[in-house]
Amino acid sequence: MSVLKLENVSKSFKRFKAVDYMSFSLDEGKIYGFIGPNGAGKSTTINMIAGLLKATSGTITILNEDVSNKNIRKYLGFSSEFPVFYNDMGCLDFLIYMGTLCGMSYKEAYKEALYLIDRLALSSFENKKVSSFSTGMKKKVGLAAAIIHHPKLILLDEPTANLDPDSRLEIIEIIKELASDNKTILISSHVLSELETFIDNVLIIQNGKLVLDASMEEVQRTSDNATLIINSKDQRLRAFLDHKAYIYTLNDGVYRVKVDNDAKSSIKKYIVENDIDFKELYDENMSLNDLYESITKGERHETDHS
Amino acid sequence: MKQIIARNFRSFWKISNLIFMGFGIGFVVALSLHLYGKDTIFSFEETVGRYNVDYLTMCAYVFIFGIANISLIIKTADTFTNEIKSGTVKLLFIKPLSRKEILLAKVLGNFLGSLSNLLFCLLMASSLYIAIGNLDIDVAINIYTINIAIFLGGVIEILTILALMSMLAIFIKNNVLFTILMIFILFIGAGVIPVAENIASNTYYDLHLYCFDLSSQLFTLIKTFAEPLNTVIGTYSGTFSTFMMTTYSLNDPDFIIGNSFGSAFKDQIGPLIIMTVYLAITVFSMLASILRYDNMDIS
């Protein structure tokens, strides 16, 4: 079931087109990584989904209802990159206020706020003013405020930025728990090595356009730039790689060959046919960072040529 | 929506605001004690005859102008300008509430908060008057009822100013500029002084006639409600002319207050027209605020 659907959504700020005819949809219970260079249009897109910005054209629907419908926003949770709080409110009061604004009763909101405060290890700060919190703690409270009302769609902008390693793991655990509870999560982040460990799908945006929308499995299956790792002392293999002019590095008998799928097949075929002795032979999956670089740099080269 | 109303209402009863009110009340007490024993201050017979009730004027000036309006400027700036600037308005815009509801809830919260401040201050003023001044029951009844009249006059005034302030806060988005502009507008519209005087004096005339006639108490209450409307509106209409006339009659303030355009105009058809104009200003301000708020991009 599609929880969020964007159809030909554009957003212009005067003459600048921040988002250009973007279309994608998010399925229930999955974690989506939303990545792209600075200024690509990620935050603009997230803000449009959250209802903070109005799309210049196109439609955004959450659970088949237009995002402008106020009632649909009770199914939406949002935590911005730099969460903001009321200076006069303590952590517990703030979370209760956020919960009751989403239609929860005071009792429900109170109970849920206490649970989240405990879950995020903020118990000793529950009555302290959020404005006095560290950046990392503010992030946690921002996340708690986004999920207190059990939304079906959660938008998280850089949820782990400026957090210490323990807090990062804590937040990632919570995100995974939310997904297992059938919530759909869209995460914008620049920490790709971290993101690839828990996202199901990736959306890459460049110059306001969506350039990739795929599952992580799909990405790894179809990627033709993976690295082939061969651990072999056989000199015939080196001669073959040199002869074919493949790019590789050799370190203590371990070859890391960066080739496309066809070349990979050709190397494997050569090893089998010539009975090359090897200890290990496997494909090293493409990292999200490699994929991101190949797409965004490719785009940049195309732009340069044009 | 009720949570936003409650939050805005509560902001008027914070320690900072209570201290602010405390200063106002302290000022009135100090001035009352200073003036105690001077006939013109606490003698109604004399003061009404001169179309001037000093104590009430003073209270109205301190509480309506000094506290209710200044609090409103601070709170309106906080509710609209600061929230947009700091980004906390995002917290509300992503909730299942329309922007219209958010705006109206904030305005209503501020309105009720301000009125509660005003009511509290005027009750204090009445009590102080009775405690320090004349304990005669006749005067006690009068003073409370007159303050109800001042309160109702304040309701109209606060509503109009609040609508105007909300619109300016949303459009200007700059705290300093907004505050300077609002104080300037309030000073120009310093009709609160003649408003208070007119309310107090005119209501007193009716109360004086009917005070111990129980059957006419209800009528008095209705009059109390109706009279401030006329007076406030009439005096508002006179505010601009008063301001203009000030330049010509600086040496004769009684002329400005007592015989202003508003005072003469309020018995004519003028109040209806002026009421419509002021209602239109309030409605226009609110509609403009809603439109702007509704189409505002926050990022």
Side-chain angles (χ1 to χ4, degrees):
Chain A
M1 183 194 167
S2 174
V3 175
L4 171 74
K5 201 170 186 181
L6 272 80
E7 285 176 299
N8 300 321
V9 172
S10 296
K11 178 68 186 176
S12 299
F13 296 102
K14 292 180 183 168
R15 285 184 183 175
F16 174 67
K17 204 160 198 175
V19 176
D20 196 5
Y21 288 100
M22 191 177 293
S23 299
F24 64 82
S25 63
L26 308 186
D27 293 334
E28 198 173 18
K30 286 190 174 172
I31 307 173
Y32 290 78
F34 194 39
I35 60 178
N38 288 332
K42 298 187 300 290
S43 293
T44 305
T45 308
I46 287 184
N47 283 332
M48 282 194 288
I49 298 168
L52 297 171
L53 293 176
K54 296 205 170 173
T56 310
S57 64
T59 54
I60 302 173
T61 54
I62 297 173
L63 298 167
N64 296 326
E65 286 284 343
D66 194 275
V67 77
S68 60
N69 178 350
K70 66 171 185 176
N71 294 321
I72 209 65
R73 287 203 285 273
K74 69 178 151 204
Y75 301 112
L76 175 77
F78 172 56
S79 173
S80 66
E81 185 178 359
F82 303 105
V84 283
F85 307 96
Y86 297 110
N87 289 334
D88 58 332
M89 276 187 163
C91 178
L92 181 63
D93 287 343
F94 173 74
L95 291 178
I96 294 171
Y97 184 55
M98 291 292 107
T100 51
L101 281 176
C102 290
M104 295 173 93
S105 69
Y106 183 87
K107 203 176 165 188
E108 282 171 337
Y110 181 78
K111 211 173 143 191
E112 196 59 32
L114 280 183
Y115 165 74
L116 287 169
I117 284 172
D118 185 46
R119 180 76 182 79
L120 290 162
L122 293 168
S123 297
S124 48
F125 305 97
E126 67 178 43
N127 292 316
K128 295 218 166 113
K129 300 262 193 300
V130 188
S131 53
S132 66
F133 283 14
S134 68
T135 314
M137 285 159 74
K138 282 181 180 171
K139 282 265 179 197
K140 287 182 180 181
V141 181
L143 176 67
I147 61 176
I148 190 167
H149 57 293
H150 304 288
K152 285 184 191 283
L153 172 66
I154 302 161
L155 310 173
L156 304 174
D157 201 354
E158 298 283 354
T160 57
N162 302 313
L163 291 180
D164 59 64
D166 286 345
S167 300
R168 276 169 185 265
L169 290 174
E170 228 173 302
I171 299 272
I172 292 169
E173 268 315 301
I174 289 175
I175 292 170
K176 284 180 184 170
E177 271 174 33
L178 290 167
S180 66
D181 197 22
N182 241 9
K183 315 281 186 212
T184 305
I185 304 157
L186 180 68
I187 303 173
S188 159
S189 175
H190 284 115
V191 192
L192 304 186
S193 56
E194 182 182 86
L195 208 55
E196 71 182 349
T197 61
F198 63 92
I199 60 170
D200 300 307
N201 289 55
V202 61
L203 301 163
I204 298 183
I205 178 175
Q206 169 90 347
N207 296 329
K209 288 181 179 164
L210 191 70
V211 289
L212 183 80
D213 176 2
S215 69
M216 285 303 282
E217 282 172 9
E218 238 178 322
V219 166
Q220 282 155 10
R221 199 171 53 237
T222 58
S223 76
D224 57 0
N225 278 311
T227 306
L228 186 64
I229 309 290
I230 314 160
N231 187 347
S232 171
K233 302 272 185 202
D234 200 319
Q235 288 303 311
R236 286 178 296 163
L237 178 64
R238 186 171 182 175
F240 174 74
L241 295 174
D242 287 339
H243 173 69
K244 292 281 185 182
Y246 292 141
I247 299 165
Y248 67 93
T249 59
L250 178 60
N251 187 12
D252 199 21
V254 179
Y255 294 87
R256 297 175 66 86
V257 195
K258 206 152 191 176
V259 283
D260 61 20
N261 281 342
D262 290 343
K264 239 188 282 176
S265 304
S266 152
I267 295 168
K268 284 177 186 171
K269 194 178 169 192
Y270 176 80
I271 289 171
V272 173
E273 282 177 357
N274 294 281
D275 202 18
I276 302 286
D277 185 36
F278 67 90
K279 283 182 190 166
E280 279 180 310
L281 173 65
Y282 62 91
D283 288 337
E284 190 179 61
N285 284 335
M286 192 184 211
S287 71
L288 191 57
N289 199 46
D290 292 335
L291 174 71
Y292 173 74
E293 279 188 4
S294 70
I295 289 175
T296 53
K297 279 183 183 166
E299 287 273 324
R300 269 180 232 147
H301 289 315
E302 278 173 33
T303 315
D304 291 345
H305 291 309
S306 63
Chain B
M1 192 173 163
K2 64 183 179 205
Q3 293 86 356
I4 302 174
I5 297 174
R7 182 176 150 71
N8 279 274
F9 179 84
R10 277 199 300 269
S11 71
F12 282 81
W13 288 96
K14 277 188 180 164
I15 292 175
S16 56
N17 225 44
L18 290 174
I19 292 171
F20 187 39
M21 282 196 288
F23 273 116
I25 291 163
F27 175 75
V28 171
V29 172
L31 208 58
S32 304
L33 291 171
H34 174 68
L35 299 171
Y36 182 66
K38 293 174 185 166
D39 288 347
T40 52
I41 300 305
F42 293 111
S43 164
F44 268 90
E45 296 305 328
E46 286 186 34
T47 53
V48 169
R50 296 198 302 113
Y51 205 75
N52 185 10
V53 184
D54 299 66
Y55 182 80
L56 292 172
T57 305
M58 185 176 67
C59 289
Y61 187 81
V62 171
F63 295 127
I64 298 181
F65 181 73
I67 292 185
N69 286 345
I70 301 293
S71 288
L72 258 185
I73 292 178
I74 296 164
K75 298 295 172 193
T76 310
D78 199 40
T79 308
F80 294 105
T81 319
N82 280 354
E83 281 221 358
I84 293 168
K85 216 172 167 183
S86 66
T88 47
V89 74
K90 278 185 197 177
L91 297 169
L92 301 177
F93 282 4
I94 58 170
K95 296 288 179 261
L97 295 164
S98 70
R99 293 190 182 185
K100 200 184 298 166
E101 283 172 336
I102 294 168
L103 180 109
L104 291 176
K106 284 180 169 197
V107 170
L108 193 58
N110 282 358
F111 181 60
L112 295 175
S114 188
L115 289 194
S116 69
N117 275 187
L118 183 63
L119 184 61
F120 174 74
C121 288
L122 293 175
L123 283 173
M124 288 296 291
S126 304
S127 305
L128 282 170
Y129 182 85
I130 292 160
I132 299 169
N134 199 330
L135 285 171
D136 188 328
I137 191 67
D138 177 5
V139 177
I141 292 169
N142 280 346
I143 195 77
Y144 275 114
T145 323
I146 289 165
N147 269 342
I148 288 170
I150 293 178
F151 175 72
L152 291 170
V155 171
I156 306 293
E157 197 231 342
I158 286 169
L159 189 63
T160 310
I161 288 179
L162 181 60
L164 192 65
M165 272 189 199
S166 305
M167 183 182 74
L168 289 173
I170 290 167
F171 276 88
I172 291 173
K173 291 192 209 168
N174 181 317
N175 248 348
V176 179
L177 188 62
F178 166 75
T179 308
I180 292 170
L181 190 65
M182 273 324 296
I183 289 176
F184 178 72
I185 289 173
L186 280 179
F187 269 103
I188 286 193
V192 283
I193 303 164
V195 166
E197 290 205 26
N198 283 350
I199 291 167
S201 307
N202 289 302
T203 310
Y204 176 75
Y205 279 130
D206 296 324
L207 290 173
H208 190 67
L209 293 172
Y210 301 114
C211 200
F212 291 105
D213 181 355
L214 288 176
S215 63
S216 65
Q217 285 297 324
L218 182 64
F219 177 71
T220 306
L221 277 175
I222 294 166
K223 285 281 278 180
T224 310
F225 187 78
E227 196 69 37
L229 283 177
N230 278 349
T231 316
V232 170
I233 292 155
T235 314
Y236 256 109
S237 72
T239 301
F240 184 69
S241 57
T242 303
F243 177 69
M244 297 299 285
M245 285 161 75
T246 308
T247 53
Y248 299 101
S249 318
L250 280 174
N251 296 323
D252 189 5
D254 277 349
F255 170 74
I256 300 166
I257 295 166
N259 303 309
S260 70
F261 180 62
S263 178
F265 203 54
K266 71 181 167 56
D267 294 329
Q268 311 299 321
I269 197 163
L272 280 175
I273 299 164
I274 299 302
M275 187 163 73
T276 311
V277 169
Y278 277 92
L279 190 68
I281 289 170
T282 309
V283 171
F284 169 80
S285 300
M286 286 310 296
L287 285 177
S289 305
I290 288 170
L291 271 176
R292 178 78 188 103
Y293 218 52
D294 222 19
N295 292 301
M296 192 183 283
D297 273 349
I298 302 283
S299 57

